[in-house]
Amino acid sequence: MSVCVLFLRSAARSCRALAAFPASRRTLRTSPPSGAFAKELFLGKIEKKEVFPFPEVSQDELNEINQFVIPLEKFFTEEVDSQKIDQEGKIPEETLEKLKSLGLFGLQVPEEYGGLGLSNTMYARLGEVMALDGSIAVTLSAHQAIGLKGIILAGSEKQKIKYLPKLASGEHIAAFCLTEPSSGSDAASIQTRATLSDDKKHYILNGSKIWITNGGLANIFTVFAKTEIIDSDGSIKDKITAFIVERDFGGVTNGKPEDKLGIRGSNSKQLSCEVHFENTRVPVENVLGEVGDGFKVAMNILNSGRFSMGSFVAGMLKKLIEMTAEYACTRKQFNKNLSEFGLIKEKFALMAQKAYVMESMTYLTAGMLDQPGIPDCSIEAAMVKVFSSEGAWQCVSEALQILGGSGYMRDYPYERLLRDARILLIFEGTNEILRMFIALTGLQHAGRILTARVKELKRGNVTTVMQTVGQRLWDSLGRTVDLGLTGKLGVVHPSVADSANKLEENVYYFGRTVETLLLRFGKTIVEEQLVLKRVANILINLYGMTAVLSRASRAIRSGLRNHDQEILLANMFCVEAYYQNLFTLSQLDKYSPENLDEQIKKVSQHILEKRTYVCAHPLDKAS
Amino acid sequence: MSWVQATRLSRGLLRGWGSICGATLTGPPFSQVPPKAPRGLHCSATVHSSDSWLVPLPPEPPRKPTKAPAQHEELFGAAPGERDKASFVRAVQHFEQRSARKRGHVDFIYLALRKMRDYGVERDLAVYNLLLDIFPKEVFRPRNIFQRMFVHYPRQQECGIAVLEQMENHGVMPDKETEFLLIQIFGRKSYPMLKFLRMRLWFSRFKNINPFPVPRDLPQDPVDLAKLGLRHMEPDLSARVTVYQMPLSKDWTGAADPTQPHIVGIQSPEQQAALAQHNPARPIFVEGPFSLWLRDQCVYYHILRADLLPPEERKVEEIPEEWNLYYPMQLDLDYGRSGWDDYEFDINEVEEGPIFAMCMAGAHDQATLAKWIQGLQETNPGLAQIPVVFRLAASTGELLAASPGLKEPPPPPPQSQEEEEDNLQRQERGQS
């Protein structure tokens, strides 16, 4: 118990420190943050101010965080039995109690409502520890990253006072009810309906939601349902509204528990299941935000929660590296340790690199989010999510490979990690959907700014056309791009200057390509998903490169431990990403031999028409 | 196989294997002697004075096939009761035993070819090989350059080609054994061999050329056949086939009760949705019958369709504002696709009204089709409010008129049997 008392006290202190912190930082940054780093990349520009130098926290704050982290780490390594949770499909009651007493259910709830009021950076740091058990991490995230986030973001003062304190203490648990059998990301097909009662004091809620994490455990639900709205022009329209629903309102039942591949700790009936609402009477004052604003509420909640996945995964990967390194250095084959084989070494380098990039991206994004004002970092957060989930899957798979047959066994934790990691690619928006989001949001921004230029080009304005042609010619002569990252007063340290030049070149040509794409497709680019995927891939790489360069430069300049390793990792990632980007950029050319879009479309067309694999069996004969 | 064809074949052969007599090719073309010419020599050939091989000869005046019983007829007529592969093979073996010198084998082979369909072995490769095996081996192989230059044993070669041609007509792919036999009988450079090579080449190219394959053996049951035909026409694999009415008598050939013919319909979910959205003020039409050929069977179908909506009534599909939770479904830009990436320009689309369902029925009258519409109303409740107009074509088609009953008219195969036989006989006569 002493641990948690210490923890709570330190938490409170850290929050006070944090409250003072933004004010001091505000004086340092004079220009208002626009949160537009990723968007500017689409125009071939680097907003240096946004990403250099790498965001730092003050020494006090750092000490506070460490005081949080150490007991928490101890708790997770010593008291949480992940294997048992996975096998029994249940988080033990006492573990949950302990988590509550540690204050982990109200990390981001503001202090005045009884939470710890942690900044995004600190939340990310704690996430690294919480990720040591997948099921607990999912339960906690579902509770506070989406479950109660709606109340923090859109709730009225009254609602906050009423609900947040109990949620922060863990007395009540929150769940987020959006998905329905017929509606994944398609909000228009939501079937749950809320109708205003005759006395206009209640909404009657009817419908069912599926895959609700914490669904059986929660007392407070954020529910999205369709309501009839009278539009400004007098017509009646169906719009989505968000409601805070208490289990005590009545009519809330749970369906069958869901048997899942991974994160089985949240398998039990209480933790992930269907939730049905039958004539649940929700008071009018429990509408979250305005009536009919549910769509925006949902979008904001989803966009705000994503960045933390980066630190969750990074924490898991660092643990994974420790465990596999231990194995590789002790297991002998042919009188050699596994660690002496090149192919094994390669896997460790890969894992380290992924973890490094992931961390850099996450903390850079968290730093941006923690800036005063309300910066819009949804693209960055989505990029972190895509990169980290894919990195997690790849690294866990490689780790399993190091273990060989043992990795496949249930006695070792690796297969569980693999199963748990698979969900990361799917939830909080599948990676495919997020790629569309990343590319389209950026293209929308670039498209607006380039409108005048594109129009002139289309009209055939001689000056603009000549200018563009001249620029392309000049580019084709292989001029070096200088966006001011390196050089005498550059923000990047000379040790990674080569990589910075590569980034500059990529960014410049990416801007050119985006312009060409907009010229070619205009607003119909929405239909070109293969193109959008590539745009998103390039952007993710560019953001990763920026993050590692920024972080490595800071590490060298402030003389952090083992910064030579950081230089290695940063340079390695940048070179890889550079060549990947070059390849992808050439794929975006219409007539390049690398562009296989037409073939891809044809092949899948054949298959989907017949709904089967169409090739003849290799043993078949024509006669 | 007429003489003209043979002439062309010979021309092709000479071209193909021009190495044999390249010099002759430059001269006037060779042709087989007309049937009237005396035919003492096997390799007789005269120089044709005109280039008539270039122009197809006018068709010969149809000669009435003489119905005189052909030679060896008795071999096949012996056991009229059982007509299957075994008895066919027995007949062939009987012939071989009867004449050790194989006298009259060409006549016999022509006869056997005609009889194959009766015995149901017209698609059996082994039987064709058996027929080829009747030819004496090594006798007809050309032995010197002159024999090779001209058609050696033309009548026998013609007969060999006839066998191969019948195989071709029935889609039977020759195999190694056929090749071996042909080489043994006629040698490597002969017309049957050329035919064989061409079959090997083109059969493999053409066998799977139809992207919508029809099974080789069609179901006999009209309901099954209708199901097959409807599936064949419907591109959507989620479409559901419904049998609205089974025929009273399952007997395909028997006289079924004409008051209850079969009705089989197909409708895809998309068509169902489109029908549900149809404006009840506009009538929909039942049209037909339209014909569909499945191999050698012709079936008739009807469609339920509506007219194309006039442009002012069409609803523009709007993208709802709050639709996708994750990414924008449309960009707020006021410029579209440029000409370079606009592939629409060379597509000429004719707009047609929607088709809501299809059916195949045993009878093509309004009463039967009304039953179909009744059946459709069960799955499409909206259909009850829509006026349905029957626009049935008068059964003017001769195929339709041929059999008004339940049974679909037995359509003539592309080349009717009689005609085929006539051809064969003509060839025989022409040569003998």
Side-chain angles (χ1 to χ4, degrees):
Chain A
M1 240 9 236
S2 65
V3 174
C4 62
V5 170
L6 173 78
F7 183 74
L8 280 176
R9 210 162 4 125
S10 60
R13 244 188 301 146
S14 79
C15 298
R16 246 171 283 129
L18 191 75
F21 189 63
S24 63
R25 196 189 305 189
R26 195 171 296 161
T27 54
L28 289 176
R29 303 218 174 200
T30 46
S31 65
S34 53
F37 170 73
K39 285 181 181 171
E40 288 300 309
L41 285 179
F42 278 85
L43 297 167
K45 292 179 195 159
I46 298 179
E47 282 284 308
K48 277 177 286 182
K49 272 186 195 151
E50 300 274 337
V51 289
F52 291 104
F54 198 74
E56 288 190 352
V57 293
S58 67
Q59 189 59 47
D60 290 344
E61 207 179 350
L62 193 64
N63 295 341
E64 303 286 356
I65 295 183
N66 287 337
Q67 280 176 34
F68 265 136
V69 167
I70 292 160
L72 197 59
E73 232 164 23
K74 199 167 158 234
F75 169 70
F76 267 94
T77 46
E78 288 175 8
E79 292 181 44
V80 175
D81 186 352
S82 298
Q83 197 179 358
K84 200 174 139 207
I85 293 179
D86 184 62
Q87 277 168 6
E88 293 183 358
K90 188 174 188 304
I91 302 174
E93 204 54 44
E94 56 269 32
T95 312
L96 276 178
E97 284 305 316
K98 196 71 182 284
L99 291 173
K100 286 176 192 173
S101 64
L102 282 168
L104 288 184
F105 279 79
L107 292 176
Q108 284 201 288
V109 177
E111 249 179 301
E112 61 261 40
Y113 304 114
L116 298 181
L118 296 189
S119 66
N120 289 305
T121 312
M122 290 181 58
Y123 179 66
R125 179 68 189 93
L126 286 187
E128 285 184 33
V129 188
M130 289 192 281
L132 295 181
D133 182 88
S135 302
I136 293 180
V138 168
T139 301
L140 288 176
S141 309
H143 169 72
Q144 53 195 339
I146 50 178
L148 58 77
K149 203 59 164 273
I151 304 181
I152 299 181
L153 289 177
S156 66
E157 196 55 38
K158 233 170 136 186
Q159 288 167 344
K160 284 183 182 173
I161 291 171
K162 187 173 174 196
Y163 291 111
L164 284 181
K166 282 189 177 169
L167 287 170
S169 67
E171 190 183 335
H172 285 170
I173 290 178
F176 182 76
C177 306
L178 177 64
T179 310
E180 291 185 15
S182 63
S183 155
S185 38
D186 178 358
S189 56
I190 284 182
Q191 303 283 328
T192 305
R193 184 159 281 283
T195 41
L196 200 57
S197 64
D198 296 335
D199 57 359
K200 309 228 168 191
K201 283 185 181 166
H202 287 90
Y203 278 96
I204 314 290
L205 191 65
N206 276 301
S208 51
K209 302 281 186 179
I210 55 166
W211 306 335
I212 306 303
T213 314
N214 296 349
L217 202 63
N219 312 81
I220 311 289
F221 302 89
T222 310
V223 185
F224 295 85
K226 284 239 172 112
T227 45
E228 279 185 357
I229 305 276
I230 298 171
D231 229 15
S232 50
D233 56 348
S235 59
I236 294 175
K237 267 191 179 174
D238 271 350
K239 283 208 157 188
I240 301 164
T241 306
F243 298 94
I244 306 172
V245 180
E246 294 176 34
R247 189 180 280 275
D248 303 337
F249 287 165
V252 183
T253 48
N254 293 124
K256 61 178 195 323
E258 282 135 4
D259 198 9
K260 302 192 294 282
L261 173 72
I263 49 170
R264 294 178 67 89
S266 51
N267 231 6
S268 62
K269 181 154 181 155
Q270 42 166 330
L271 279 175
S272 171
C273 55
E274 297 172 5
V275 178
H276 307 287
F277 299 96
E278 204 185 331
N279 291 326
T280 307
R281 290 171 70 83
V282 186
V284 178
E285 56 266 26
N286 271 27
V287 170
L288 202 51
E290 296 291 314
V291 176
D293 269 358
F295 187 83
K296 284 197 194 90
V297 174
M299 245 173 53
N300 285 338
I301 295 173
L302 290 170
N303 280 341
S304 73
R306 274 186 204 120
F307 84 96
S308 60
M309 188 184 287
S311 75
F312 277 73
V313 173
M316 190 265 288
L317 279 189
K318 284 192 267 186
K319 183 82 183 164
L320 188 68
I321 291 173
E322 272 175 36
M323 293 192 298
T324 43
E326 178 75 30
Y327 180 86
C329 293
T330 48
R331 163 97 172 165
K332 277 199 187 251
Q333 291 281 288
F334 312 114
N335 283 335
K336 271 183 179 179
N337 279 332
L338 278 192
S339 55
E340 289 170 59
F341 293 101
L343 287 179
I344 301 290
K345 287 180 185 168
E346 187 195 16
K347 295 187 199 305
F348 281 102
L350 176 89
M351 288 197 279
Q353 183 198 320
K354 291 278 176 200
Y356 184 73
V357 180
M358 223 173 275
E359 271 182 341
S360 314
M361 286 168 85
T362 311
Y363 285 98
L364 181 63
T365 313
M368 284 184 189
L369 281 168
D370 280 338
Q371 281 171 34
I374 308 161
D376 175 21
C377 295
S378 49
I379 302 187
E380 283 87 351
M383 288 195 284
V384 172
K385 194 262 167 178
V386 172
F387 185 88
S388 57
S389 56
E390 272 161 23
W393 179 245
Q394 203 182 347
C395 290
V396 177
S397 165
E398 290 290 338
L400 214 76
Q401 212 61 28
I402 295 171
L403 271 284
S406 315
Y408 202 66
M409 296 299 127
R410 290 211 122 168
D411 299 339
Y412 290 84
Y414 305 98
E415 59 89 28
R416 173 170 49 80
L417 288 176
L418 189 83
R419 283 187 285 115
D420 288 355
R422 195 60 186 80
I423 189 63
L424 301 176
L425 305 164
I426 298 170
F427 71 4
E428 298 205 29
T430 63
N431 284 5
E432 284 70 24
I433 273 188
L434 287 181
R435 283 202 163 90
M436 296 298 113
F437 167 74
I438 294 165
L440 285 173
T441 317
L443 284 170
Q444 170 75 73
H445 176 78
R448 276 210 194 109
I449 291 181
L450 292 176
T451 299
R453 208 174 135 70
V454 171
K455 273 190 179 164
E456 272 178 23
L457 276 174
K458 287 207 170 178
R459 229 183 301 130
N461 185 320
V462 181
T463 335
T464 326
V465 172
M466 291 305 289
Q467 213 180 2
T468 315
V469 171
Q471 202 171 29
R472 294 288 153 101
L473 272 177
W474 182 234
D475 289 347
S476 65
L477 293 177
R479 75 181 184 102
T480 50
V481 182
D482 182 13
L483 299 177
L485 291 187
T486 53
K488 214 170 178 187
L489 291 170
V491 284
V492 167
H493 191 270
S495 311
V496 287
D498 275 351
S499 303
N501 286 333
K502 290 196 165 69
L503 170 68
E504 285 172 333
E505 193 192 318
N506 271 173
V507 169
Y508 177 77
Y509 286 109
F510 178 59
R512 292 273 84 82
T513 306
V514 164
E515 194 184 306
T516 315
L517 288 177
L518 282 169
L519 201 60
R520 275 176 62 190
F521 298 113
K523 62 182 169 190
T524 61
I525 200 166
V526 180
E527 291 143 33
E528 305 287 329
Q529 295 205 329
L530 292 179
V531 170
L532 294 175
K533 184 198 87 178
R534 299 203 179 104
V535 169
N537 281 348
I538 295 175
L539 199 74
I540 293 169
N541 273 338
L542 292 180
Y543 190 54
M545 286 162 95
T546 317
V548 292
L549 287 175
S550 174
R551 176 175 170 196
S553 300
R554 169 183 165 266
I556 305 163
R557 284 182 176 144
S558 57
L560 286 185
R561 199 157 31 87
N562 293 336
H563 63 245
D564 49 342
Q565 174 92 351
E566 295 195 23
I567 296 171
L568 278 174
L569 288 174
N571 281 332
M572 212 169 92
F573 175 73
C574 285
V575 172
E576 272 179 23
Y578 171 74
Y579 286 110
Q580 270 174 24
N581 283 345
L582 287 189
F583 182 70
T584 318
L585 281 173
S586 66
Q587 279 188 317
L588 284 173
D589 269 0
K590 186 171 179 186
Y591 294 115
S592 73
E594 293 92 346
N595 184 347
L596 298 178
D597 290 2
E598 290 307 312
Q599 287 93 319
I600 291 171
K601 284 178 191 163
K602 268 187 203 162
V603 166
S604 49
Q605 184 73 21
H606 281 162
I607 291 171
L608 294 173
E609 262 171 26
K610 306 278 182 206
R611 302 192 188 176
T612 175
Y613 172 75
V614 288
C615 296
H617 192 273
L619 299 181
D620 280 355
K621 279 178 151 186
S623 55
Chain B
M1 168 65 80
S2 70
W3 280 106
V4 182
Q5 277 172 295
T7 323
R8 274 194 224 141
L9 256 181
S10 76
R11 171 83 179 166
L13 187 72
L14 286 175
R15 269 206 190 150
W17 296 326
S19 58
I20 305 168
C21 45
T24 8
L25 264 178
T26 51
F30 292 89
S31 175
Q32 209 62 48
V33 275
K36 282 167 266 172
R39 304 171 47 90
L41 293 166
H42 292 306
C43 50
S44 65
T46 51
V47 175
H48 221 276
S49 54
S50 74
D51 269 356
S52 66
W53 55 275
L54 275 175
V55 191
L57 286 176
E60 289 177 51
R63 285 170 295 178
K64 281 267 171 212
T66 46
K67 281 294 173 192
Q71 251 181 314
H72 312 298
E73 185 84 51
E74 73 282 0
L75 284 173
F76 287 101
E82 24 163 342
R83 295 201 149 189
D84 56 356
K85 188 179 172 183
S87 60
F88 191 88
V89 171
R90 222 176 299 128
V92 173
Q93 281 165 350
H94 198 76
F95 169 76
E96 284 184 339
Q97 285 161 10
R98 196 166 68 177
S99 56
R101 295 208 180 78
K102 306 206 171 165
R103 187 184 299 142
H105 64 266
V106 171
D107 294 322
F108 177 77
I109 291 172
Y110 277 120
L111 176 71
L113 286 179
R114 284 204 298 276
K115 294 285 179 191
M116 281 180 97
R117 200 193 268 262
D118 296 343
Y119 283 78
V121 290
E122 76 273 16
R123 284 184 185 156
D124 196 327
L125 175 62
V127 173
Y128 285 106
N129 284 341
L130 195 71
L131 283 186
L132 283 177
D133 203 20
I134 298 174
F135 282 110
K137 312 292 179 299
E138 307 290 341
V139 181
F140 308 133
R141 286 177 75 153
R143 279 163 218 292
N144 55 46
I145 185 166
F146 297 104
Q147 288 177 348
R148 214 170 284 141
M149 210 152 47
F150 306 109
V151 186
H152 196 48
Y153 284 99
R155 198 168 165 238
Q156 281 73 10
Q157 291 209 26
E158 283 280 311
C159 181
I161 291 172
V163 174
L164 289 169
E165 183 145 303
Q166 185 153 339
M167 287 168 80
E168 182 182 313
N169 288 342
H170 289 113
V172 181
M173 175 81 161
D175 66 350
K176 282 272 173 223
E177 196 191 337
T178 321
E179 185 182 8
F180 182 71
L181 282 169
L182 286 174
I183 291 173
Q184 261 196 325
I185 299 162
F186 299 111
R188 197 169 274 286
K189 299 202 167 163
S190 58
Y191 294 104
M193 198 56 202
L194 184 63
K195 173 92 186 160
F196 166 83
L197 289 177
R198 286 176 175 163
M199 278 167 78
R200 290 290 293 201
L201 178 73
W202 292 111
F203 264 35
S204 52
R205 302 276 187 294
F206 286 147
K207 189 177 179 218
N208 290 313
I209 205 156
N210 185 359
F212 309 104
V214 182
R216 211 188 74 172
D217 298 310
L218 292 170
Q220 290 298 305
D221 183 29
V223 176
D224 289 344
L225 189 66
K227 281 182 187 170
L228 180 84
L230 288 170
R231 276 264 173 247
H232 192 70
M233 285 188 289
E234 175 65 55
D236 189 348
L237 294 179
S238 338
R240 219 179 51 215
V241 175
T242 319
V243 180
Y244 294 102
Q245 185 168 296
M246 288 296 279
L248 271 183
S249 159
K250 288 270 261 181
D251 193 4
W252 163 248
T253 48
D257 182 8
T259 56
Q260 193 171 343
H262 66 272
I263 306 172
V264 185
I266 193 167
Q267 195 181 30
S268 70
E270 265 175 47
Q271 289 173 328
Q272 213 167 337
L275 186 54
Q277 284 183 354
H278 185 80
N279 178 9
R282 297 189 156 271
I284 55 177
F285 308 100
V286 174
E287 285 184 4
F290 304 106
S291 60
L292 168 74
W293 283 95
L294 297 169
R295 290 208 181 268
D296 56 353
Q297 303 239 32
C298 185
V299 286
Y300 295 91
Y301 64 94
H302 297 262
I303 57 172
L304 181 68
R305 60 165 280 258
D307 277 336
L308 193 62
L309 275 180
E312 64 271 12
E313 276 190 37
R314 280 179 226 176
K315 278 182 218 156
V316 185
E317 245 187 61
E318 267 182 30
I319 296 184
E321 240 173 84
E322 300 183 342
W323 197 4
N324 192 324
L325 278 165
Y326 293 93
Y327 63 90
M329 297 292 273
Q330 56 181 351
L331 289 189
D332 178 23
L333 300 175
D334 52 359
Y335 43 93
R337 198 171 275 256
S338 73
W340 268 24
D341 287 275
D342 200 353
Y343 300 111
E344 303 276 317
F345 63 95
D346 57 352
I347 299 173
N348 192 5
E349 284 184 342
V350 179
E351 279 190 290
E352 280 188 335
I355 293 177
F356 298 122
M358 286 192 289
C359 90
M360 281 188 188
H364 311 309
D365 51 33
Q366 186 165 340
T368 315
L369 294 167
K371 278 186 196 162
W372 170 48
I373 299 296
Q374 272 171 13
L376 269 179
Q377 282 173 0
E378 282 173 25
T379 43
N380 302 277
L383 188 55
Q385 270 83 51
I386 307 173
V388 180
V389 180
F390 289 84
R391 279 198 208 153
L392 304 180
S395 45
T396 47
E398 56 179 302
L399 290 170
L400 247 183
S403 71
L406 177 85
K407 185 177 180 296
E408 298 290 339
Q415 191 189 28
S416 74
Q417 198 179 347
E418 274 180 28
E419 211 178 310
E420 208 173 294
E421 277 177 25
D422 188 34
N423 256 348
L424 282 172
Q425 277 177 354
R426 212 182 310 156
Q427 280 167 28
E428 261 176 281
R429 261 198 318 279
Q431 288 163 16
S432 50

